[in-house]
Amino acid sequence: MKSLEHGRVRIALRELRPGPGPALLAVHGLRGSSEEWGDSLASWKGAVHALDLTGHGESARLAGGAYHPELLAGDVDVAIAATAARHLVGRGLGAYLALLVAGSRADRIDGTLLLPGDGIEGGGPEPVFDDLAERFAAFHLRASGAVDGRADPALSALETDIRPPAYATSFARRARRLLLAEDGSARPPWWTAIRELGTAQIVSTRLPDALAALAP
Amino acid sequence: MTPPTFPGAVAPERTRRFVSGGLSLCLREWGDPAAAPLVLSHGMFDHGRGFDLLAPHLAERFRVIAIDARGHGDSDWADAYAWGCDVIDVVHVLRSLDQPAHLLGHSRGGGLMTDTAARCPELVRQLVNMDGFGPPPGGFRFPGEEPARTPPEELASFLDWRRRANAHRERRAYATLDDLAEHRRRQNPRLSLEWLRYFQYHGARETERGWTLKVDPHAGRGVGPWNPDWIGPGWRSLRAPMLAIIGSEQDTWGPLPEEVLAERLANVPHLDRGVVADAGHFMHIEQPERTARLLLDYLER
């Protein structure tokens, strides 16, 4: 386990399999960790790394709880710098973070595979301005509660974060190669907007097949 | 050194700590603890002592409670910042009081108090927003600053900064308190050096290297898909009446062009407007008595 820093954030990076060959970085979903990949990425022909996002797994919690996707994109960014990975696979929240990094570090990332999973699906494409008080009360209860003793309750902000489709597609347009793994289930608006661009490759959610399509 | 004085400035009568989201915040109070609570929120890079001129007037009728926002003044720094966390801090303070409060915010604090009131109507009696109506449609920009970049470019710049910004980055040190006052005056040319010296004394500390600001340099650093078009519609849920105040004079950070301001305020269900004559963005510092009169006429009428 290796420790990386950006700003005041300290995250854990796990080497799932040593090189040689092109390195892959795996980014887990909301309330997951690097452990969730198990040997599911074993078919990748190269080194495989997985990080624990801020507030997850072996990584430190955020003092003050201001979790948001752009900050967590910093976790992915320092991990690609440390591993020289040019391929990303992300699940749920991790898929969104991989998209942000693929678009903002387009010269560093050759291919990105987005898998369905938990995180940033509940906020919708734009804020809903009705029933603000009721929705805030429900959110605040989750964000300050201790429903699950292991996960930081403040991570709830990542369930309700607003993610406009046009914002997501601005990253998708810059990314070199995007692969969307689909199994026919409903996807959030940011995901379907990327699909509608027509430039992403649609692949199976069966990981060996999807990884074969991602390989250089 | 001896703390500077300023005509009319009154230090808080009580200062206490308040824990929210695991961070220790600094609350400063003036007035009878049994009086109706009036909670104040300062602007970006400011702190609660900026109310030293206004609060003594308000304390004639209210228990005035000024919050140092996280990362500002004498409150703890966070690892990172998000608007929603600041809203939750205010909610926690309001819930700790034994009755609904009047809210008053300046600049960023005005926006914060307005968003808080829209989310927690049961905690708020009346709301005063002093020139805190959000950035113009194109966002705040320093003179000469380049136009907005694309989201991927903005994020790349944010990520570059994250890689550089380590945990213990030292704040810039200024040789003298006067240097700190001069530095701030470049952003707020309408404010006197005498006031800025008073204000910066409380917002800075003297170290071996010189004077350094207490405010967290990370506090103003944000990036994401937030859109100024969301500001006005977010106020439709307000139930508390709002008094919206601007200064009569154009200043570095305000007021907004009237058509933009009117469009946003059209969403507020119960609205009064006020203008403080011969004042800019910091009306409570340039014209504390006039501002206080306007507020005391409005509150609890």
Side-chain angles (χ1 to χ4, degrees):
Chain A
M1 206 69 124
K2 197 170 167 181
S3 177
L4 304 175
E5 278 182 57
H6 62 97
R8 300 177 188 134
V9 163
R10 182 185 295 272
I11 62 159
L13 180 71
R14 188 187 296 268
E15 189 180 60
L16 296 183
R17 206 182 60 209
L24 174 70
L25 176 69
V27 191
H28 62 79
L30 182 62
R31 298 195 180 84
S33 80
S34 57
E35 288 185 10
E36 77 185 34
W37 299 103
D39 57 3
S40 66
L41 305 172
S43 67
W44 179 259
K45 308 249 182 303
V48 181
H49 305 273
L51 56 76
D52 285 346
L53 291 168
T54 298
H56 295 75
E58 302 290 315
S59 295
R61 284 187 179 197
L62 207 50
Y67 294 98
H68 59 281
E70 285 71 21
L71 183 81
L72 269 56
D75 299 352
V76 182
D77 186 52
V78 288
I80 62 167
T83 59
R86 299 189 68 89
H87 292 82
L88 302 174
V89 55
R91 174 182 286 143
L93 169 65
Y96 192 83
L97 303 179
L99 168 71
L100 293 183
V101 172
S104 54
R105 300 294 200 201
D107 56 332
R108 299 286 312 271
I109 302 298
D110 293 330
T112 304
L113 169 62
L114 311 190
L115 305 172
D118 289 339
I120 55 175
E121 301 196 11
E126 58 184 33
V128 180
F129 299 111
D130 303 320
D131 308 320
L132 208 52
E134 290 77 2
R135 284 181 299 104
F136 177 79
F139 161 71
H140 185 245
L141 197 64
R142 283 200 309 283
S144 57
V147 179
D148 180 337
R150 287 168 300 135
D152 188 344
L155 288 169
S156 300
L158 293 164
E159 290 171 326
T160 53
D161 205 72
I162 304 301
R163 292 289 136 182
Y167 183 77
T169 53
S170 74
F171 289 89
R173 284 198 175 90
R174 290 277 298 269
R176 279 193 184 156
R177 246 183 101 215
L178 275 185
L179 292 83
L180 302 178
E182 301 214 343
D183 55 7
S185 62
R187 306 301 305 128
W190 63 266
W191 178 295
T192 51
I194 292 172
R195 184 203 297 139
E196 282 160 15
L197 285 180
T199 50
Q201 187 181 343
I202 308 299
V203 298
S204 156
T205 50
R206 223 182 72 79
L207 266 174
D209 296 344
L211 291 172
L214 177 67
Chain B
M1 70 178 282
T2 318
T5 57
F6 187 84
V10 177
E13 295 163 37
R14 302 173 294 281
T15 297
R16 62 188 173 100
R17 309 301 301 183
F18 181 88
V19 176
S20 172
L23 302 178
S24 168
L25 306 181
C26 179
L27 305 186
R28 310 168 191 283
E29 298 200 14
W30 296 256
D32 180 357
L38 167 59
V39 181
L40 314 185
S41 175
H42 60 75
M44 190 77 214
F45 300 132
D46 291 348
H47 52 81
R49 299 298 301 270
F51 291 113
D52 278 8
L53 293 172
L54 180 68
H57 298 284
L58 304 175
E60 289 167 15
R61 270 195 10 225
F62 295 99
R63 172 190 178 192
V64 179
I65 306 165
I67 306 172
D68 276 1
R70 49 172 67 195
H72 291 71
D74 290 311
S75 289
D76 279 357
W77 289 8
D79 282 346
Y81 294 85
W83 183 257
C85 293
D86 279 86
V87 170
I88 288 176
D89 288 342
V90 178
V91 170
H92 287 161
V93 171
L94 297 180
R95 284 199 183 154
S96 74
L97 305 172
D98 56 3
Q99 55 181 302
H102 301 270
L103 306 190
L104 184 158
H106 171 247
S107 196
R108 176 186 187 273
L112 186 64
M113 289 311 212
T114 307
D115 278 2
T116 304
R119 281 159 184 72
C120 297
E122 74 283 4
L123 300 174
V124 182
R125 290 180 64 180
Q126 284 174 296
L127 168 70
V128 179
N129 184 328
M130 302 197 304
D131 207 7
F133 308 105
F140 281 128
R141 213 170 295 157
F142 286 96
E145 195 178 320
E146 296 200 356
R149 295 171 292 183
T150 65
E153 287 168 341
E154 280 186 11
L155 181 58
S157 159
F158 178 75
L159 295 176
D160 288 343
W161 171 75
R162 295 290 313 169
R163 285 190 186 189
R164 286 194 310 268
N166 65 38
H168 306 292
R169 201 179 79 149
E170 283 193 333
R171 295 244 48 188
R172 179 178 167 187
Y174 294 77
T176 66
L177 185 58
D178 289 337
D179 291 341
L180 261 185
E182 290 279 4
H183 165 74
R184 182 64 194 240
R185 187 136 196 251
R186 285 195 283 279
Q187 295 166 41
N188 305 116
R190 293 185 56 86
L191 302 181
S192 71
L193 277 175
E194 187 189 9
W195 164 259
L196 289 171
R197 216 168 167 274
Y198 180 90
F199 181 71
Q200 295 287 55
Y201 174 83
H202 294 290
R205 50 177 67 90
E206 196 174 10
T207 70
E208 288 175 0
R209 297 186 300 124
W211 289 84
T212 61
L213 289 169
K214 291 175 182 171
V215 65
D216 184 352
H218 289 208
R221 197 73 211 235
V223 62
W226 180 79
N227 183 341
D229 291 344
W230 297 346
I231 297 172
W235 298 344
R236 277 187 227 143
S237 303
L238 281 171
R239 282 194 234 137
M242 183 212 268
L243 173 63
I245 303 180
I246 54 174
S248 63
E249 306 303 309
Q250 195 63 41
D251 201 348
T252 319
W253 305 120
L256 288 169
E258 177 56 31
E259 65 274 15
V260 175
L261 182 55
E263 188 185 335
R264 288 185 189 168
L265 289 176
N267 293 283
V268 178
H270 312 284
L271 176 73
D272 281 273
R273 292 190 59 174
V275 176
V276 179
D278 303 317
H281 185 56
F282 288 86
M283 65 282 287
H284 56 304
I285 290 158
E286 291 188 52
Q287 299 289 348
E289 283 162 31
R290 253 179 224 176
T291 306
R293 208 152 51 232
L294 192 64
L295 297 175
L296 290 169
D297 282 349
Y298 178 79
L299 293 169
E300 284 199 318
R301 60 183 170 181

